[in-house]
Amino acid sequence: MSTAPATLEKVSVIVSKGSLDGIYPPLILANGARAEGIEADLFFTFFGLDAITRRRQEQIRLATVGNPGLHLPTALGGLPGMSAAMTRYMEWKMEQFDFPSIPEFVEMIADTGAGIYACKASTDLFGLGKDDLIDCVADIITVGEFYARAVGSQIIYT
Amino acid sequence: MPIHIYAGHSVVLDEDGYFTEPERWTEEMAPYLAAAEGITELTADHWQVIKVMRAEYHAKGSGPAVRALAKISGVPVKELYRLFPKGPAKVAAKIAGIPKPHSCI
């Protein structure tokens, strides 16, 4: 009889969304993995790159249009300033539960020993170089290199 | 639940290896608990963290997760992972004889 392994060995978490609600969940997954002693890599691709791009990192917004979970009518969600206001509200709520800000959270996750990687296709597309990304980014890698690093891990796409 | 003997005292651990009766923990048990987690020597830095875990547990009924642990203890996150590579809050809780911290961040 075979027994299942007690824990996961490694997770490779892909971050492809650039909204506040798109970025926190994969950060929590990667950070939580490290807290459990599980290895973790974060791979930022497409708009997810905003979370590790210097000039964008502080301006991550909550999506107020096309976000039914917010229970806000689409016509209202599109009003000028709505996304900024809802983002401020959400950040205030999160602060009460001691959520770190996105810049602080990414840096903390790097400090846990997780690998922070940017997708080459996306950085090429957006015209970003290593200098445009925050210091804790280990490297800009291709999808092939991502898979090579992910050997033996569970890949989580968000 | 399994009964273990550390430093001559028997203690009951839950199925994940955490103390079910934290009041039965003594400092003498810590090196044995640490060894079971692969930590061969408890330095002053380890002790600083272990004491914070216990103090927080007594004050709040639960040990802190990693981020709070770093804030309260003053030991940076990077250093916490160097001291307790298999997960600082989790492993320090085991060595400190308190239940597993319940927090997502």
Side-chain angles (χ1 to χ4, degrees), chain A residues 73-121:
Chain A
T74 294
L76 280 182
L79 290 176
M82 188 55 88
S83 179
M86 288 303 288
T87 299
R88 275 201 300 278
Y89 171 72
M90 187 60 100
E91 284 173 344
W92 172 77
K93 282 279 279 193
M94 290 174 124
E95 227 177 274
Q96 292 186 321
F97 289 91
D98 207 25
F99 275 56
S101 68
I102 287 172
E104 187 195 336
F105 206 5
V106 174
E107 200 182 320
M108 175 188 161
I109 294 168
D111 283 346
T112 69
I116 311 288
Y117 292 92
C119 160
K120 182 162 190 323

Side-chain angles (χ1 to χ4, degrees), chain A residues 42-75:
Chain A
L42 274 166
F43 185 65
F44 293 86
T45 185
F46 235 87
F47 297 115
L49 272 177
D50 279 4
I52 54 167
T53 302
R54 288 183 201 283
R55 67 189 162 84
R56 298 261 192 225
Q57 201 189 23
E58 310 267 357
Q59 291 140 31
I60 305 292
R61 295 276 179 86
L62 188 71
T64 50
V65 173
N67 187 354
L70 209 55
H71 307 288
L72 187 73
T74 294

Side-chain angles (χ1 to χ4, degrees), chain A residues 7 28 31-32 34-37 98-101 104-105 108 111-113, chain B residues 18 66-68 71 77-79 81 85-90 100 104-105:
Chain A
T7 54
I28 291 170
N31 181 60
R34 293 298 302 128
E36 293 296 320
D98 207 25
F99 275 56
S101 68
E104 187 195 336
F105 206 5
M108 175 188 161
D111 283 346
T112 69
Chain B
Y18 297 89
V66 181
R67 181 164 175 264
K71 274 191 185 174
V77 169
K78 207 172 197 167
E79 178 66 6
Y81 276 89
K86 295 280 175 195
K90 189 179 149 179
K100 187 177 180 181
C104 284
I105 295 181

